[in-house]
Amino acid sequence: MIKRTFDTPLGTVSCELNSNFTYAELQNSGAYENGIFERFKTAAYDIELIEFKVKQPFYNGETITDSKCWIWRIKKVKDITENLKIKVLISDYPKNAEFDFATGENLDAFEITNDEWKLHIGTEDGEILNYGAENEDWFPTRLLNTKNHCQEITELNKSSIKTNVPELKIGEKIHLQYLTAFDKQNVETINTWVAVDEHKSELEKWIGIE
């Protein structure tokens, strides 16, 4: 329904949102200090899609070749059952590309590498999403997972990330982020992993979101 792509030396990264409805109308678009936004209306939701690049250099002074990141800010505005799914994947990758999981504290991620390049794609993990629910920070407290202490809405695979957006009630909202970064292959640095391991509040500060 809404799809954005990013061409890299290791293939094309796509970030797409799909629904059981086909209606998604662009309302407006514009720019933040360090990012651009598009606002859509679907059958039941108001959706803001923010696209940006990571802040460089990082806290350790390192840099990367390039990045492309997406934040989906989703708010329920109509009492209609609409099933939203977000999928981030890479396609058209070289035959010699190797895939692996690259999770960390508060991070679900996978990596793609070959002899020349490395690329990471990451999102916030279930524990940090649950922390958002505890603090009603762009995740409904109503959906707090007290049994496993983490949200189970995201499925991490070796070449994709899939998120089933939970059914919201009117007025409830959710923030979901997907970060991509690539650089020349260098076993002495984890710079692309560092690039995608960023907290929501730091991203908002960098982008310039009020």
Side-chain angles (χ1 to χ4, degrees):
M1 189 167 67
I2 304 171
K3 181 178 180 179
R4 298 293 177 265
T5 60
F6 177 43
D7 291 326
T8 80
L10 285 167
T12 299
V13 179
S14 62
C15 181
E16 57 187 64
L17 179 140
N18 291 297
S19 165
N20 55 321
F21 292 91
T22 56
Y23 170 75
E25 180 182 345
L26 178 64
Q27 299 293 298
N28 57 63
S29 60
Y32 289 108
E33 183 180 353
N34 290 297
I36 60 174
F37 68 82
E38 295 173 289
R39 295 187 177 125
F40 299 88
K41 186 173 288 294
T42 70
Y45 293 94
D46 284 347
I47 298 172
E48 181 179 25
L49 172 57
I50 303 167
E51 189 173 276
F52 63 100
K53 295 181 182 294
V54 297
K55 181 181 180 181
Q56 297 193 65
F58 310 131
Y59 65 87
N60 59 3
E62 294 183 332
T63 60
I64 56 169
T65 298
D66 201 4
S67 65
K68 183 68 69 72
C69 311
W70 300 277
I71 289 175
W72 299 86
R73 287 153 58 100
I74 300 167
K75 183 178 181 180
K76 184 76 174 276
V77 293
K78 288 186 179 179
D79 191 16
I80 300 171
T81 299
E82 181 175 8
N83 301 317
L84 299 179
K85 299 178 186 291
I86 299 173
K87 185 176 182 180
V88 182
L89 57 87
I90 188 161
S91 59
D92 303 323
Y93 44 84
K95 290 183 178 179
N96 66 342
E98 296 183 0
F99 291 80
D100 200 0
F101 293 110
T103 56
E105 186 178 359
N106 300 332
L107 176 70
D108 278 343
F110 66 90
E111 65 180 13
I112 311 100
T113 58
N114 65 8
D115 293 339
E116 190 176 359
W117 296 95
K118 59 179 178 177
L119 181 148
H120 278 84
I121 300 176
T123 188
E124 290 184 313
D125 70 5
E127 187 173 351
I128 197 68
L129 291 176
N130 210 50
Y131 179 80
E134 287 179 343
N135 294 275
E136 208 166 350
D137 182 13
W138 279 86
F139 206 107
T141 301
R142 175 179 63 86
L143 299 177
L144 180 66
N145 188 333
T146 57
K147 183 178 180 181
N148 298 319
H149 305 290
C150 68
Q151 293 297 319
E152 298 172 344
I153 64 173
T154 295
E155 175 188 331
L156 176 65
N157 300 298
K158 280 193 175 181
S159 61
S160 68
I161 298 172
K162 301 175 183 178
T163 303
N164 291 314
V165 179
E167 181 65 31
L168 304 180
K169 293 183 177 181
I170 290 180
E172 290 181 339
K173 56 190 180 181
I174 189 170
H175 162 113
L176 296 163
Q177 64 187 49
Y178 305 88
L179 282 60
T180 303
F182 72 86
D183 196 20
K184 288 282 190 178
Q185 181 63 274
N186 181 352
V187 295
E188 295 181 359
T189 176
I190 57 169
N191 56 346
T192 52
W193 184 87
V194 170
V196 303
D197 184 25
E198 191 63 88
H199 190 270
K200 167 185 173 290
S201 62
E202 293 301 315
L203 293 179
E204 290 172 335
K205 189 185 303 181
W206 159 243
I207 296 165
I209 300 172
E210 293 291 335

